[in-house]
Amino acid sequence: MNKKKNISKFGFFAMTASLFITVYEYPTFADSGKTLIFFLLLCGIFWFLPVALSSAELATIEGYQDGGIFSWVGEPLGEKFGFAAIFFQWFQITVGFVTMIYFIIGTVSDVLNVPVLNTNVGVKFILVISIFWLLTALQFKGTKITEQVAKYGFSIGIVIPVLLMLVLAIKYIASGNQISKNFTDTHFFPDKSNISALVSFVLAYMGVEASAPHIADLENPKKDYPKIMFALVIVGVVLSTIGGSVVAMVSHGNISANAGVVNALKEIISPGKESPLVIILGILVSFGVMAQVSSWIVSPTEGLQFVASKGLLPKKYEEVNKHGVPVPLLIVQGIIVTAWAAILTFGSGNSGGNVSFQTAISLTVIIYLSAYILFFIAYLVIVFKKKELKREYQIPGGSKVKIFVAGSGLLLSIAAIMTAFMIPDTMSKTEGKTYITTLIFSYIVTVVAPFLFYQFYSKNHSLKGAAHHEDDQTRMD
């Protein structure tokens, strides 16, 4: 029976990769031109690598294996902060789903030449919620479907299109076509005009730890998990750099946030005319993003199910169907995603898809970064105060290296949150006002929510559970 539960190393790798490799962000990267290489290397070395290394160590500490980031943060910092961390990890993706589906709609709209799908806010909203609820319904049959979709989605929806883009771009440039000014007229190092883009590049690597609830499904988790983390760092940096650079090099004029990939494909395959290959690649890329949505639908909710088993959520959220899927949690998640879709789609009004898309991306990142700040603080507490804990893997180099690794991740997380509140130069005054107002309001509500819920519900129920346990123990004694 246990064999059925095992996930192959490639299956786990693909599922994790599809959680964080963000094809839909390539146009956003491309806006920074050459600077995208600096940002991707900076975030890859000083943020993504620290997350991967720290996760690999935390996941092998005795007593920290269950519950993912809830246990990693909750054990050293206390239950309240563990609850906030798992909440942020889950809640950010309720916004992220909208971002990903915006990309799917923009891509399909462009390759099929049906602009109304992406320009009419009513049609766009209906499409967002229809796609999301359909993918949610598919999860009710269990995570085996998710694993299969992740494998194929990663292989044919991410790796193949990106490598093909690279080959076609080399051929395009070798044929004498000019490299776009979007790439040539920029510098390697950032300046005032694009420093605000940092927040988008951090998103390129977010989510690598979200597959932690599935670690136990690996045949040899203590040995395989750290190796998979290292492989993911390399693959993540390489694919994001290739994808973003190609879009920047071949896109002339303004780069559309949610149609930039297709526009780049058109330019390198068949400039000025229709091509079946563009349609095929556009559909494949959309499938890759759908696989990402599928992987995210269940992964964080399994952590929430663990939290519910601790009494921190109402008991009904512990429930699973015959396939082991937490249906009540998925229903609540779906309702929240529907609400975000309405706020972000109708909130941008006629200001265009780019504003709602950029707001969704920034909000996704700063909510998730709030979880990562707690994550790195928790890791540093373990380094300073809990050295005696048994673990199968440790970041090599001793305490000083560990402090440098986690400290760099923490500082970059804080810096990225700060840059998210800088209005991008590409937005008009009206668009900027809409962007910053929606972002600030949504972020404040989100940060306060888990602490209020814990104070008025979780704390009491958790303490009651502990008190009940102590009473039972006293009677037994």
Side-chain angles (χ1 to χ4, degrees):
M1 292 293 288
N2 286 338
K3 270 196 168 180
K4 281 189 178 178
K5 197 184 174 190
N6 282 349
I7 294 179
S8 67
K9 282 186 273 190
F10 180 69
F12 186 85
F13 175 91
M15 191 181 288
T16 309
S18 66
L19 286 169
F20 78 90
I21 292 178
T22 49
V23 175
Y24 63 88
E25 265 225 283
Y26 292 168
T28 311
F29 299 163
D31 268 333
S32 298
K34 280 194 204 102
T35 318
L36 75 88
I37 301 168
F38 170 83
F39 277 132
L40 285 168
L41 288 173
L42 174 76
C43 297
I45 295 166
F46 295 104
W47 194 87
F48 187 33
L49 190 57
V51 171
L53 290 171
S54 303
S55 297
E57 181 168 340
L58 289 166
T60 63
I61 295 176
E62 278 187 17
Y64 283 51
Q65 285 94 343
D66 294 325
I69 200 169
F70 169 75
S71 297
W72 298 350
V73 172
E75 291 292 334
L77 296 186
E79 193 176 68
K80 172 172 67 176
F81 293 104
F83 179 74
I86 191 85
F87 175 85
F88 293 143
Q89 185 195 58
W90 164 72
F91 200 65
Q92 63 82 25
I93 200 56
T94 63
V95 187
F97 285 132
V98 180
T99 313
M100 288 184 264
I101 297 172
Y102 277 164
F103 176 85
I104 293 166
I105 294 167
T107 300
V108 172
S109 165
D110 212 19
V111 296
L112 298 181
N113 197 24
V114 188
V116 70
L117 301 179
N118 199 36
T119 56
N120 184 297
V121 289
V123 172
K124 192 171 183 176
F125 172 71
I126 290 167
L127 282 172
V128 170
I129 59 172
S130 298
I131 291 168
F132 180 76
W133 280 104
L134 177 63
L135 292 173
T136 296
L138 287 175
Q139 308 308 310
F140 291 170
K141 295 271 186 181
T143 53
K144 275 198 171 183
I145 291 176
T146 308
E147 187 190 346
Q148 291 303 312
V149 171
K151 277 183 183 178
Y152 291 112
F154 175 69
S155 301
I156 68 172
I158 296 174
V159 176
I160 290 174
V162 170
L163 293 181
L164 197 54
M165 278 174 73
L166 175 62
V167 172
L168 291 169
I170 291 169
K171 186 184 172 188
Y172 172 86
I173 293 163
S175 300
N177 289 292
Q178 250 189 335
I179 295 175
S180 170
K181 288 183 178 180
N182 287 321
F183 193 81
T184 57
D185 287 4
T186 53
H187 303 287
F188 179 75
F189 293 103
D191 54 34
K192 281 182 184 178
S193 68
N194 58 13
I195 191 67
S196 63
L198 175 63
V199 69
S200 300
F201 288 92
V202 173
L203 179 59
Y205 303 123
M206 285 181 156
V208 71
E209 84 303 324
S211 60
H214 298 290
I215 290 171
D217 296 341
L218 285 165
E219 196 173 330
N220 189 348
K222 289 171 184 175
K223 184 181 173 186
D224 294 338
Y225 186 68
K227 287 181 181 177
I228 292 170
M229 290 292 105
F230 279 110
L232 285 165
V233 170
I234 295 165
V235 171
V237 172
V238 170
L239 289 180
S240 294
T241 304
I242 291 171
S245 296
V246 168
V247 174
M249 286 178 175
V250 304
S251 299
H252 302 275
N254 290 332
I255 300 170
S256 169
N258 52 8
V261 171
V262 173
N263 293 340
L265 288 170
K266 285 179 178 177
E267 182 62 30
I268 56 179
I269 293 170
S270 58
K273 56 187 178 186
E274 299 296 321
S275 166
L277 183 56
V278 172
I279 296 172
I280 292 166
L281 285 174
I283 299 298
L284 285 180
V285 168
S286 297
F287 174 61
V289 179
M290 279 193 182
Q292 190 172 15
V293 173
S294 295
S295 294
W296 270 109
I297 283 173
V298 171
S299 284
T301 56
E302 290 188 352
L304 283 178
Q305 189 193 348
F306 178 80
V307 169
S309 72
K310 297 291 183 185
L312 303 180
L313 292 174
K315 195 164 180 62
K316 69 177 178 179
Y317 296 118
E318 265 190 273
E319 296 171 11
V320 294
N321 66 9
K322 63 181 180 179
H323 300 289
V325 178
V327 174
L329 279 172
L330 292 187
I331 298 296
V332 170
Q333 179 173 268
I335 293 167
I336 293 169
V337 172
T338 302
W340 278 126
I343 292 167
L344 294 167
T345 307
F346 294 111
S348 67
N350 295 321
S351 60
N354 276 9
V355 176
S356 55
F357 190 85
Q358 185 59 48
T359 307
I361 282 183
S362 296
L363 187 57
T364 300
V365 181
I366 60 178
I367 293 171
Y368 209 165
L369 280 170
S370 302
Y372 282 113
I373 286 171
L374 293 173
F375 166 85
F376 283 121
I377 291 171
Y379 181 79
L380 288 168
V381 167
I382 289 167
V383 172
F384 285 113
K385 296 186 177 179
K386 303 195 178 219
K387 293 178 183 176
E388 75 287 349
L389 290 172
K390 288 183 182 177
R391 64 206 86 181
E392 294 295 320
Y393 170 82
Q394 293 198 50
I395 295 176
S399 294
K400 286 183 180 177
V401 173
K402 290 183 178 186
I403 292 164
F404 175 78
V405 167
S408 65
L410 178 61
L411 289 174
L412 208 51
S413 298
I414 294 167
I417 286 182
M418 290 169 67
T419 62
F421 292 98
M422 296 167 66
I423 298 170
D425 283 356
T426 52
M427 289 185 187
S428 67
K429 273 191 175 181
T430 307
E431 289 173 339
K433 190 177 177 183
T434 301
Y435 166 80
I436 208 74
T437 304
T438 308
L439 189 63
I440 290 172
F441 174 76
S442 301
Y443 183 57
I444 290 170
V445 170
T446 303
V447 169
V448 170
F451 292 103
L452 287 177
F453 188 87
Y454 183 86
Q455 185 64 33
F456 294 106
Y457 180 88
S458 306
K459 181 180 174 183
N460 297 330
H461 286 73
S462 181
L463 287 174
K464 281 177 187 174
H468 182 68
H469 176 74
E470 284 175 17
D471 288 345
D472 288 347
Q473 202 66 36
T474 305
R475 281 195 290 272
M476 284 172 71
D477 291 340

